[in-house]
Amino acid sequence: MRMYGWIGAIRLLVYPVRGDLRRAGAWLRTCGLLAAAWVWAAGVAVALPLQPEQVAPGVWMVQGVSALGSPANRNFISNAAFVDTPAGVVVIDALGSPALAQELIQAIGRVTPQPIRHVVVTHYHADHIYGLQAFQAPGVTITAHRGGLSYLHSDTARLRLQASREELAPWIDENTRLVPADRWIDGPTRFSLGGVDFVLQPVGPAHTPEDLVVFLPGSRILFAGDIVFRGRIPFVGQADSGRWIEALDRLIDFDARLIVPGHGPVSASAQADLKLTRDYLVHLRQAMGEAARNLEPFEEAYAKADWSRFEHLPLFKAANRINAYNTYLLMEQGGR
Ligand SMILES: [Zn+2]
């Protein structure tokens, strides 16, 4: 690589003298490609700037990739959204690294001259909150459900961040820190900005204890965090799937027209997506619950279960088995 670079540099000096600008340009491109290949091979993808996608008038989102977090994808595996009002911008979720969040702030600046006023956190999972520190500024209020406080002070959060500094370097490093909300809410909360009404509705404990969804009653748009997964298998983790199913039932009552999920594309088939997530959780609980009650070993139960309705979905291989295992343990403990 270094040798090619030197030869390229020497030729760049020589070619213009010979008047061969076209060939010099080709060399520049070759060097650029080699550099890009090297950067890619080093596991650090050449990043394209975030492109917000308009999902409704004044409502925008950026969509992370369907994958596990890695240096190559910069931990850009979750969505963030923002609502542009005549009195300022409300951002929903902060993305998975400070650098990504900084890019999001720049992207918002390209869409609207309005300042960012609020950041609402749907839940304190790494891929949604590692960007928070980039939003901290006078005049910006970060809001989350109080359930996130105990996570912030937990060993889990500290160890997760420690591991991420290694696994997601250089995007997560020693300067990345966990940021508490400025305002912790305990129940349903409404506010209005620039004539747009926002409903913050706690729906946890479901995916996490602090799950919070944001609903715009005016346009019937629901920012559902990780309560609704679209186009991929959810990560159930240690979630209380029984409560999660109840939360989904409550969301169905919102009668949303559009859902901006925490992962995957915007959904214009809100009810069907709510139902898919719900059906998956119900299926997990049925298949694993029966096995746990019959004291059937997990491996046998897993092999026997019918996954045909879900196995075509992205991340099935990465997530389904661990989801099933966690559900098995939950049901073994007499899970609700
Ligand atoms: Zn997530």
Side-chain angles (χ1 to χ4, degrees):
M1 176 62 216
R2 183 169 294 160
M3 193 185 72
Y4 280 114
W6 276 111
I7 294 172
I10 291 163
R11 293 199 184 196
L12 273 177
L13 288 173
V14 173
Y15 281 137
V17 174
R18 288 161 61 189
D20 195 345
L21 285 168
R22 196 174 54 82
R23 287 186 69 186
W27 259 102
L28 255 182
R29 278 195 297 279
T30 308
C31 289
L33 280 175
L34 282 170
W38 179 80
V39 170
W40 181 81
V44 185
V46 181
L48 297 169
L50 296 190
Q51 279 301 341
E53 167 199 350
Q54 189 165 22
V55 297
V59 181
W60 303 75
M61 74 180 286
V62 292
Q63 191 191 320
V65 296
S66 236
L68 303 178
S70 71
N73 61 33
R74 302 179 290 154
N75 207 25
F76 185 28
I77 58 165
S78 66
N79 300 342
F82 59 97
V83 182
D84 177 26
T85 85
V89 175
V90 178
V91 178
I92 294 121
D93 282 342
L95 298 178
S97 68
L100 276 177
Q102 202 53 56
E103 279 184 45
L104 176 58
I105 291 167
Q106 281 160 10
I108 293 171
R110 290 196 299 271
V111 166
T112 172
Q114 290 295 335
I116 296 169
R117 290 282 181 229
H118 291 274
V119 179
V120 182
V121 177
T122 62
H123 63 298
Y124 266 86
H125 270 181
D127 52 331
H128 302 259
I129 56 121
Y130 279 170
L132 272 178
Q133 66 193 64
F135 287 98
Q136 280 187 307
V140 179
T141 305
I142 299 173
T143 303
H145 184 263
R146 193 174 300 280
L149 253 179
S150 49
Y151 173 77
L152 269 183
H153 297 299
S154 69
D155 283 346
T156 315
R158 190 175 50 79
L159 295 172
R160 174 79 262 159
L161 181 56
Q162 233 170 54
S164 296
R165 283 175 175 146
E166 285 173 21
E167 291 160 13
L168 297 170
W171 308 105
I172 304 298
D173 62 16
E174 65 282 359
N175 296 317
T176 313
R177 57 181 200 275
L178 295 165
V179 173
D182 302 307
R183 186 169 71 140
W184 296 103
I185 63 168
D186 297 291
T189 304
R190 270 176 178 263
F191 71 90
S192 188
L193 188 72
V196 181
D197 288 332
F198 294 81
V199 177
L200 311 185
Q201 174 70 50
V203 289
H207 179 63
T208 65
E210 67 275 14
D211 291 311
L212 189 68
V213 301
V214 181
F215 186 59
L216 307 183
S219 48
R220 285 167 51 217
I221 297 174
L222 177 66
F223 303 90
D226 286 1
I227 292 292
V228 186
F229 281 75
R230 172 152 164 76
R232 56 164 268 198
I233 288 289
F235 279 110
V236 177
Q238 308 300 318
D240 181 337
S241 49
R243 293 266 186 92
W244 192 344
I245 291 166
E246 285 170 28
L248 287 165
D249 286 337
R250 240 181 298 164
L251 293 194
I252 289 170
D253 292 340
F254 271 133
D255 194 23
R257 184 175 63 86
L258 288 180
I259 294 179
V260 179
H263 299 266
V266 69
S267 164
S269 50
Q271 304 298 344
D273 284 329
L274 288 165
K275 209 170 162 304
L276 178 71
T277 308
R278 189 188 187 285
D279 288 355
Y280 176 69
L281 296 175
V282 168
H283 184 71
L284 276 181
R285 290 172 67 86
Q286 270 165 3
M288 295 301 115
E290 204 182 308
R293 270 191 305 277
N294 298 337
L295 303 176
E296 186 180 355
F298 169 73
E299 293 300 333
E300 272 172 43
Y302 187 81
K304 208 175 73 182
D306 176 11
W307 302 111
S308 55
R309 187 171 162 207
F310 306 102
E311 64 195 356
H312 64 284
L313 292 170
L315 295 186
F316 178 85
K317 280 205 168 68
N320 190 61
R321 189 183 178 81
I322 186 76
N323 285 346
Y325 187 62
N326 281 332
T327 308
Y328 180 87
L329 295 180
L330 181 78
M331 303 309 278
E332 210 177 27
Q333 294 150 16
R336 286 156 299 172

PDB file of all heavy atoms in Angstrom, residues 77-78 123 125 127-128 207 225-226 229 232 262-263, ligand 1:
ATOM      1  N   ILE A  77     -27.100   0.705  13.507  1.00  0.00           N
ATOM      2  CA  ILE A  77     -28.000  -0.446  13.377  1.00  0.00           C
ATOM      3  C   ILE A  77     -29.388  -0.119  13.894  1.00  0.00           C
ATOM      4  O   ILE A  77     -30.251  -0.983  13.924  1.00  0.00           O
ATOM      5  CB  ILE A  77     -27.440  -1.668  14.141  1.00  0.00           C
ATOM      6  CG1 ILE A  77     -27.240  -1.342  15.628  1.00  0.00           C
ATOM      7  CG2 ILE A  77     -26.116  -2.118  13.522  1.00  0.00           C
ATOM      8  CD1 ILE A  77     -27.045  -2.570  16.497  1.00  0.00           C
ATOM      9  N   SER A  78     -29.584   1.121  14.323  1.00  0.00           N
ATOM     10  CA  SER A  78     -30.913   1.500  14.801  1.00  0.00           C
ATOM     11  C   SER A  78     -31.345   2.768  14.087  1.00  0.00           C
ATOM     12  O   SER A  78     -30.547   3.449  13.447  1.00  0.00           O
ATOM     13  CB  SER A  78     -30.888   1.738  16.309  1.00  0.00           C
ATOM     14  OG  SER A  78     -30.075   2.870  16.588  1.00  0.00           O
ATOM     15  N   HIS A 123     -35.636   4.011  24.834  1.00  0.00           N
ATOM     16  CA  HIS A 123     -35.142   3.065  25.843  1.00  0.00           C
ATOM     17  C   HIS A 123     -33.622   3.131  25.863  1.00  0.00           C
ATOM     18  O   HIS A 123     -32.996   3.542  24.894  1.00  0.00           O
ATOM     19  CB  HIS A 123     -35.622   1.631  25.574  1.00  0.00           C
ATOM     20  CG  HIS A 123     -35.127   1.051  24.286  1.00  0.00           C
ATOM     21  ND1 HIS A 123     -35.437   1.579  23.052  1.00  0.00           N
ATOM     22  CD2 HIS A 123     -34.337  -0.021  24.028  1.00  0.00           C
ATOM     23  CE1 HIS A 123     -34.868   0.855  22.108  1.00  0.00           C
ATOM     24  NE2 HIS A 123     -34.184  -0.124  22.665  1.00  0.00           N
ATOM     25  N   HIS A 125     -30.974   1.315  25.412  1.00  0.00           N
ATOM     26  CA  HIS A 125     -30.114   0.300  24.816  1.00  0.00           C
ATOM     27  C   HIS A 125     -29.023   1.011  24.020  1.00  0.00           C
ATOM     28  O   HIS A 125     -29.281   2.036  23.366  1.00  0.00           O
ATOM     29  CB  HIS A 125     -30.912  -0.649  23.911  1.00  0.00           C
ATOM     30  CG  HIS A 125     -31.441  -1.846  24.651  1.00  0.00           C
ATOM     31  ND1 HIS A 125     -32.161  -2.843  24.033  1.00  0.00           N
ATOM     32  CD2 HIS A 125     -31.335  -2.201  25.948  1.00  0.00           C
ATOM     33  CE1 HIS A 125     -32.483  -3.761  24.943  1.00  0.00           C
ATOM     34  NE2 HIS A 125     -32.004  -3.392  26.105  1.00  0.00           N
ATOM     35  N   ASP A 127     -27.475   0.898  21.255  1.00  0.00           N
ATOM     36  CA  ASP A 127     -27.584   1.376  19.877  1.00  0.00           C
ATOM     37  C   ASP A 127     -28.507   2.589  19.735  1.00  0.00           C
ATOM     38  O   ASP A 127     -28.548   3.213  18.686  1.00  0.00           O
ATOM     39  CB  ASP A 127     -28.024   0.244  18.939  1.00  0.00           C
ATOM     40  CG  ASP A 127     -29.273  -0.482  19.415  1.00  0.00           C
ATOM     41  OD1 ASP A 127     -29.505  -0.538  20.642  1.00  0.00           O
ATOM     42  OD2 ASP A 127     -30.020  -0.996  18.562  1.00  0.00           O
ATOM     43  N   HIS A 128     -29.239   2.937  20.781  1.00  0.00           N
ATOM     44  CA  HIS A 128     -30.140   4.092  20.724  1.00  0.00           C
ATOM     45  C   HIS A 128     -29.634   5.280  21.541  1.00  0.00           C
ATOM     46  O   HIS A 128     -30.166   6.375  21.421  1.00  0.00           O
ATOM     47  CB  HIS A 128     -31.534   3.693  21.232  1.00  0.00           C
ATOM     48  CG  HIS A 128     -32.147   2.571  20.456  1.00  0.00           C
ATOM     49  ND1 HIS A 128     -33.107   2.770  19.478  1.00  0.00           N
ATOM     50  CD2 HIS A 128     -31.904   1.236  20.481  1.00  0.00           C
ATOM     51  CE1 HIS A 128     -33.439   1.601  18.959  1.00  0.00           C
ATOM     52  NE2 HIS A 128     -32.728   0.645  19.551  1.00  0.00           N
ATOM     53  N   HIS A 207     -39.841  -4.559  26.162  1.00  0.00           N
ATOM     54  CA  HIS A 207     -38.509  -4.804  25.610  1.00  0.00           C
ATOM     55  C   HIS A 207     -37.473  -4.426  26.670  1.00  0.00           C
ATOM     56  O   HIS A 207     -36.448  -5.087  26.826  1.00  0.00           O
ATOM     57  CB  HIS A 207     -38.349  -3.969  24.340  1.00  0.00           C
ATOM     58  CG  HIS A 207     -37.021  -4.085  23.667  1.00  0.00           C
ATOM     59  ND1 HIS A 207     -36.559  -5.262  23.148  1.00  0.00           N
ATOM     60  CD2 HIS A 207     -36.054  -3.186  23.424  1.00  0.00           C
ATOM     61  CE1 HIS A 207     -35.358  -5.066  22.615  1.00  0.00           C
ATOM     62  NE2 HIS A 207     -35.030  -3.808  22.774  1.00  0.00           N
ATOM     63  N   GLY A 225     -39.999   2.784  19.062  1.00  0.00           N
ATOM     64  CA  GLY A 225     -38.801   2.212  19.657  1.00  0.00           C
ATOM     65  C   GLY A 225     -38.684   0.749  19.289  1.00  0.00           C
ATOM     66  O   GLY A 225     -39.002   0.365  18.157  1.00  0.00           O
ATOM     67  N   ASP A 226     -38.256  -0.064  20.225  1.00  0.00           N
ATOM     68  CA  ASP A 226     -38.064  -1.485  19.918  1.00  0.00           C
ATOM     69  C   ASP A 226     -39.243  -2.349  20.341  1.00  0.00           C
ATOM     70  O   ASP A 226     -39.126  -3.569  20.482  1.00  0.00           O
ATOM     71  CB  ASP A 226     -36.775  -1.998  20.574  1.00  0.00           C
ATOM     72  CG  ASP A 226     -35.542  -1.492  19.832  1.00  0.00           C
ATOM     73  OD1 ASP A 226     -35.711  -0.754  18.846  1.00  0.00           O
ATOM     74  OD2 ASP A 226     -34.431  -1.842  20.239  1.00  0.00           O
ATOM     75  N   PHE A 229     -40.868  -4.455  15.886  1.00  0.00           N
ATOM     76  CA  PHE A 229     -39.785  -4.681  14.932  1.00  0.00           C
ATOM     77  C   PHE A 229     -40.422  -4.863  13.575  1.00  0.00           C
ATOM     78  O   PHE A 229     -41.476  -5.467  13.449  1.00  0.00           O
ATOM     79  CB  PHE A 229     -38.984  -5.920  15.299  1.00  0.00           C
ATOM     80  CG  PHE A 229     -38.012  -5.669  16.413  1.00  0.00           C
ATOM     81  CD1 PHE A 229     -38.445  -5.550  17.710  1.00  0.00           C
ATOM     82  CD2 PHE A 229     -36.663  -5.548  16.144  1.00  0.00           C
ATOM     83  CE1 PHE A 229     -37.547  -5.333  18.736  1.00  0.00           C
ATOM     84  CE2 PHE A 229     -35.758  -5.317  17.166  1.00  0.00           C
ATOM     85  CZ  PHE A 229     -36.203  -5.214  18.468  1.00  0.00           C
ATOM     86  N   ARG A 232     -37.609  -7.767  10.588  1.00  0.00           N
ATOM     87  CA  ARG A 232     -36.534  -8.564  11.169  1.00  0.00           C
ATOM     88  C   ARG A 232     -37.023  -9.188  12.474  1.00  0.00           C
ATOM     89  O   ARG A 232     -38.022  -8.761  13.043  1.00  0.00           O
ATOM     90  CB  ARG A 232     -35.281  -7.734  11.444  1.00  0.00           C
ATOM     91  CG  ARG A 232     -35.517  -6.540  12.336  1.00  0.00           C
ATOM     92  CD  ARG A 232     -34.215  -5.986  12.889  1.00  0.00           C
ATOM     93  NE  ARG A 232     -33.917  -6.583  14.174  1.00  0.00           N
ATOM     94  CZ  ARG A 232     -33.042  -6.048  15.032  1.00  0.00           C
ATOM     95  NH1 ARG A 232     -32.396  -4.954  14.739  1.00  0.00           N
ATOM     96  NH2 ARG A 232     -32.824  -6.622  16.193  1.00  0.00           N
ATOM     97  N   GLY A 262     -37.902   1.257  15.804  1.00  0.00           N
ATOM     98  CA  GLY A 262     -36.520   1.450  16.239  1.00  0.00           C
ATOM     99  C   GLY A 262     -35.520   0.803  15.290  1.00  0.00           C
ATOM    100  O   GLY A 262     -34.337   1.131  15.297  1.00  0.00           O
ATOM    101  N   HIS A 263     -36.010  -0.138  14.502  1.00  0.00           N
ATOM    102  CA  HIS A 263     -35.175  -0.827  13.520  1.00  0.00           C
ATOM    103  C   HIS A 263     -36.031  -1.097  12.281  1.00  0.00           C
ATOM    104  O   HIS A 263     -37.198  -1.418  12.413  1.00  0.00           O
ATOM    105  CB  HIS A 263     -34.663  -2.163  14.066  1.00  0.00           C
ATOM    106  CG  HIS A 263     -33.806  -2.003  15.293  1.00  0.00           C
ATOM    107  ND1 HIS A 263     -32.440  -1.920  15.248  1.00  0.00           N
ATOM    108  CD2 HIS A 263     -34.146  -1.898  16.601  1.00  0.00           C
ATOM    109  CE1 HIS A 263     -31.958  -1.774  16.468  1.00  0.00           C
ATOM    110  NE2 HIS A 263     -32.979  -1.757  17.314  1.00  0.00           N
TER     111      HIS A 263
HETATM  112 ZN    ZN B   1     -32.592  -1.373  19.367  1.00  0.00          ZN
END
